[in-house]
């Protein structure tokens, strides 16, 4: 009888303790599963988000350039030869304005928006005096960070071509009219850009040419804006590839100059 009572007591005790034992065993598993779920729900935090000194790409408002071609018919002999045109230093279609799309694309790549003077074919605008009112009107209605009047030099290949490594480039030269009161502003900007060009490809800029006196314009419409630059891009012997390479360098140099101004 005593043995039966003892067995009954043991069974009752086990029944009483069973829920507690089961709860004790299961609790760590539940807790572990909950922690794993929480870990999965937690967003991933990258190191850059934790480091207050991490570099952050600054979104800079694009700069604006205005571009026109006073002597729009200036042509390049190798380009005319390649298209089987009559060899001439001037052409109504295959001329320096053919590079307008390349200029726009390269400048846009470096966050510089470009607007061009759309010439009216019914009006003759191939000298500084006739083109002046159109440039003046454009500058009166919009603000630009830089203005380019792009030309082709009349010099030969030995002056206008640079061999750098395995590539050849059309050289630049900046022309400054020294016969207006504020020409030093234009000259300083030209010097800055010339330096940026030569940092990228040493020797690609031939520097600055200040012109004044009898037989030259002496102003080149640069009195309209302190940031208006007359630039000669290559010469009559430069190829399309050389000019395209130089346009890419010009776009990068302009961008670098703007970023340098922001930093200072």
């Amino acid at each position: 009888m005593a043995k039966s009572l003892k067995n009954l007591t043991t069974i009752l005790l086990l029944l009483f303790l069973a829920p507690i034992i089961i709860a004790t065993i299961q609790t760590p598993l539940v807790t572990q599963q909950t922690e794993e779920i929480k870990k999965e729900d937690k967003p991933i935090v990258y190191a850059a988000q934790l480091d207050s000194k991490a570099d952050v790409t600054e979104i800079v408002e694009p700069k604006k350039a205005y571009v026109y071609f006073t002597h729009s018919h200036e042509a390049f002999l190798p380009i005319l030869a390649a298209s089987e045109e009559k060899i001439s230093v001037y052409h109504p279609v295959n001329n320096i304005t053919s590079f307008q799309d390349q200029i726009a694309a390269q400048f846009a790549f470096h966050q510089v928006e470009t607007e061009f003077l759309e010439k009216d074919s019914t009006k003759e605008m191939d000298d500084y005096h006739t083109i002046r009112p159109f440039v003046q009107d454009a500058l009166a209605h919009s603000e630009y960070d830089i203005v380019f009047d792009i030309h082709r030099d009349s010099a030969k290949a030995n002056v206008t071509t640079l061999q750098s490594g395995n590539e050849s480039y059309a050289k630049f030269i900046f022309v400054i009219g020294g016969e207006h009161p504020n020409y030093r502003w234009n000259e300083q900007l030209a010097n800055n850009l010339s330096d940026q060009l030569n940092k990228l490809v040493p020797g690609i800029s031939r520097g600055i040419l200040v012109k004044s006196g009898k037989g030259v314009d002496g102003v080149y419409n640069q009195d309209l804006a302190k940031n208006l630059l007359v630039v000669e891009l290559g010469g009559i012997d430069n190829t399309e590839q050389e000019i395209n390479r130089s346009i890419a360098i010009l776009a990068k140099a302009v961008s670098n100059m703007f970023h340098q101004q922001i930093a200072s």
Side-chain angles (χ1 to χ4, degrees):
M1 181 68 181
K3 186 176 180 180
S4 299
L5 182 60
K6 183 178 180 180
N7 290 339
L8 180 60
T9 303
T10 301
I11 292 170
L12 291 173
L13 181 60
L14 289 173
L15 290 173
F16 175 75
L17 294 174
I20 299 174
I21 294 170
I22 292 171
T24 304
I25 294 170
Q26 288 183 339
T27 299
L29 296 176
V30 174
T31 303
Q32 184 178 358
Q33 290 173 354
T34 304
E35 289 177 353
E36 289 178 355
I37 292 171
K38 288 181 178 179
K39 287 180 181 178
E40 291 176 0
D41 292 342
K42 185 178 180 181
I44 298 173
V45 179
Y46 293 97
Q49 294 173 272
L50 298 174
D51 185 0
S52 61
K53 296 181 180 179
D55 291 335
V56 178
T57 302
E58 182 182 1
I59 300 175
V60 181
E61 183 179 352
K63 297 294 183 178
K64 291 182 65 177
Y66 187 69
V67 178
Y68 64 98
F69 309 88
T70 293
H71 298 152
S72 59
H73 288 185
E74 291 177 331
F76 300 87
L77 301 182
I79 295 175
L80 293 177
S83 59
E84 299 183 352
E85 296 279 359
K86 180 181 178 181
I87 302 303
S88 173
V89 294
Y90 297 98
H91 195 276
V93 178
N94 290 330
N95 50 52
I96 194 164
T97 65
S98 301
F99 293 93
Q100 182 168 307
D101 289 344
Q102 175 74 352
I103 293 168
Q106 290 294 336
F107 276 48
F109 181 78
H110 292 286
Q111 291 188 298
V112 180
E113 298 176 351
T114 313
E115 294 181 17
F116 294 85
L117 171 62
E118 299 297 334
K119 283 203 169 187
D120 186 345
S121 59
T122 64
K123 297 178 181 179
E124 187 65 31
M125 293 191 297
D126 261 350
D127 63 62
Y128 293 104
H129 299 291
T130 55
I131 205 169
R132 182 181 177 89
F134 299 94
V135 177
Q136 199 167 14
D137 181 67
L139 299 183
H141 289 88
S142 296
E143 291 187 6
Y144 300 96
D145 297 284
I146 195 164
V147 182
F148 283 114
D149 180 8
I150 300 180
H151 295 252
R152 181 268 296 141
D153 201 341
S154 59
K156 301 287 287 180
N158 62 320
V159 175
T160 67
T161 306
L162 171 70
Q163 186 69 37
S164 179
N166 296 323
E167 304 289 2
S168 56
Y169 298 85
K171 289 185 179 181
F172 297 94
I173 188 169
F174 296 90
V175 179
I176 303 297
E179 295 183 9
H180 67 94
N182 296 317
Y183 83 92
R184 291 292 186 185
W185 288 96
N186 308 85
E187 184 181 18
Q188 182 60 54
L189 181 61
N191 273 307
N192 290 344
L193 185 52
S194 178
D195 289 345
Q196 292 295 336
L197 286 165
N198 285 330
K199 284 179 183 178
L200 294 171
V201 181
I204 196 170
S205 174
R206 295 159 56 198
I208 315 300
L209 178 62
V210 179
K211 300 185 75 171
S212 61
K214 188 177 180 179
V216 300
D217 183 280
V219 177
Y220 307 109
N221 291 323
Q222 291 171 327
D223 59 322
L224 297 178
K226 297 176 181 178
N227 58 351
L228 196 163
L229 298 180
V230 174
V231 56
E232 306 270 7
L233 169 57
I236 56 175
D237 292 325
N238 285 111
T239 67
E240 182 177 0
Q241 292 77 17
E242 290 167 346
I243 298 161
N244 283 334
R245 290 189 196 108
S246 294
I247 289 171
I249 299 301
L250 176 64
K252 177 62 175 173
V254 169
S255 176
N256 288 351
M257 182 177 68
F258 285 147
H259 280 86
Q260 186 180 66
Q261 291 171 352
I262 292 170
S264 60

